[in-house]
Amino acid sequence: MGLLVTVLAACGLGGPSKEQQLESALQKAGMSVSGVTSAEADANVNTSGEFITVKLVGETAERERLARTLQDAMPVLLESIRDVDGGTFGVSIFSPDGAVSAGPRDLGYTGSSSLSSVREFFAK
């Protein structure tokens, strides 16, 4: 019986992992924001916590417009993972060619990568 459970889990019949669920939710949220052309999320969930990073690509190479798009994206991204209690959260937005980027510091955030700190700042 144990072998059957292992085989079924390996085949993906147990449903998407927590990592896959978080990544999917973040990608969907990112793509729902005007000015975002792609969203890639990576979630690592282990006994130490949740480590989440999001890479957005915007429509422009103008840093100010990228920052405004990121400002619009932050509440949507954070809402998509509202059930995550802790861990870290990193997010950046890049120009289509990757030469220009903006992150939370461009929006006035100077705190740590702690998800709770990021949430607290962007909930204002």
Side-chain angles (χ1 to χ4, degrees):
M1 185 61 142
L3 179 60
L4 178 61
V5 171
T6 302
V7 170
L8 291 176
C11 293
L13 295 178
S17 68
K18 183 167 184 177
E19 287 97 345
Q20 291 168 327
Q21 291 172 19
L22 290 171
E23 290 167 357
S24 177
L26 286 160
Q27 288 167 355
K28 183 178 178 182
M31 290 303 298
S32 74
V33 177
S34 178
V36 173
T37 60
S38 74
E40 182 180 316
D42 182 55
N44 184 0
V45 177
N46 58 45
T47 56
S48 298
E50 284 105 1
F51 304 91
I52 300 167
T53 57
V54 180
K55 177 186 175 187
L56 304 174
V57 176
E59 298 174 336
T60 182
E62 296 175 31
R63 183 181 307 280
E64 295 78 21
R65 284 185 55 205
L66 288 172
R68 283 194 305 271
T69 301
L70 181 59
Q71 181 72 47
D72 293 343
M74 289 303 290
V76 178
L77 293 170
L78 292 168
E79 176 62 23
S80 76
I81 57 169
R82 67 184 167 275
D83 296 333
V84 177
D85 291 328
T88 63
F89 183 75
V91 60
S92 296
I93 186 167
F94 294 85
S95 61
D97 65 1
V100 180
S101 67
R105 296 209 187 287
D106 295 296
L107 305 175
Y109 180 70
T110 58
S112 72
S113 62
S114 160
L115 178 58
S116 59
S117 295
V118 173
R119 268 197 184 118
E120 184 178 315
F121 180 85
F122 287 100
K124 295 178 182 179

